[in-house]
Amino acid sequence: MNQLCRVMLLVSIAACSLSASAQFAKPEDAIKYRKSALTVMGTHFGRLGAMAQGRVPFDAKAAADNADIVANMAKLPWAAFVEGTDSGDTKAKPEIWKQSAKFKEAADKLQAESIKLAAAAHSGKEDAFKAAFTATAGTCKSCHDDFRAK
Ligand code: ASC
């Protein structure tokens, strides 16, 4: 590799890491990404809800699998609430950006409760699972009340 190639390689590596730090090419990509993560989370949370509410029998393995997905999905949406993504195909309220510390606190609460929910599901104890489900659902609801338009 000659010197010019070496320089060009370094420049392209730098350009790639710069665009990666921007995370999303377009505002609508960020909106689609966070809605997708929340949809997957909601789907698996709904399956847990069916067990927590006795609509389907408690199955420890299914509870653990679904709770793991919820705990993983719960990490994802927040990085996609970037500036300039408050309009378009979204129910995100302007408060997300006006009260960003409060929004972060709500996101952190969900993540903390979903980790406890996964631990409870893995314990195989139905009562602990149900209690953790209720606590986690409370974090979904309070964030929606404050930060999601009807
Ligand atoms: C769900 C789901 C939510 C939460 C919320 C809890 O199953 O999709 O957004 O629970 O309704 O209050």
Side-chain angles (χ1 to χ4, degrees):
M1 200 186 291
N2 67 28
Q3 192 62 25
L4 180 61
C5 284
R6 226 175 290 244
V7 169
M8 287 179 73
L9 180 65
L10 288 174
V11 167
S12 34
I13 290 169
C16 280
S17 28
L18 276 181
S19 59
S21 77
Q23 304 277 347
F24 300 100
K26 294 176 284 175
E28 54 267 39
D29 293 346
I31 292 170
K32 194 172 169 186
Y33 175 92
R34 71 200 187 206
K35 288 172 76 173
S36 302
L38 288 159
T39 297
V40 172
M41 181 159 58
T43 298
H44 292 276
F45 197 66
R47 292 176 191 170
L48 294 172
M51 281 188 264
Q53 290 150 14
R55 281 179 281 122
V56 308
F58 179 68
D59 171 335
K61 171 77 167 70
D65 289 348
N66 283 299
D68 284 345
I69 296 169
V70 169
N72 278 309
M73 287 301 120
K75 300 172 193 169
L76 301 183
W78 325 113
F81 285 93
V82 284
E83 293 284 342
T85 61
D86 56 336
S87 62
D89 187 16
T90 180
K91 290 183 192 159
K93 281 189 186 174
E95 281 74 9
I96 289 170
W97 294 274
K98 288 185 203 148
Q99 304 170 7
S100 55
K102 188 177 168 193
F103 182 64
K104 184 180 184 308
E105 203 177 296
D108 288 348
K109 265 188 198 151
L110 163 67
Q111 290 172 84
E113 293 304 331
S114 68
I115 289 167
K116 291 189 217 165
L117 173 59
H122 280 271
S123 79
K125 293 177 187 153
E126 188 173 354
D127 288 351
F129 163 73
K130 285 183 176 172
F133 177 87
T134 303
T136 310
T139 70
C140 302
K141 184 180 185 315
S142 71
C143 194
H144 289 167
D145 289 349
D146 292 339
F147 297 110
R148 183 178 70 168
K150 294 284 174 298

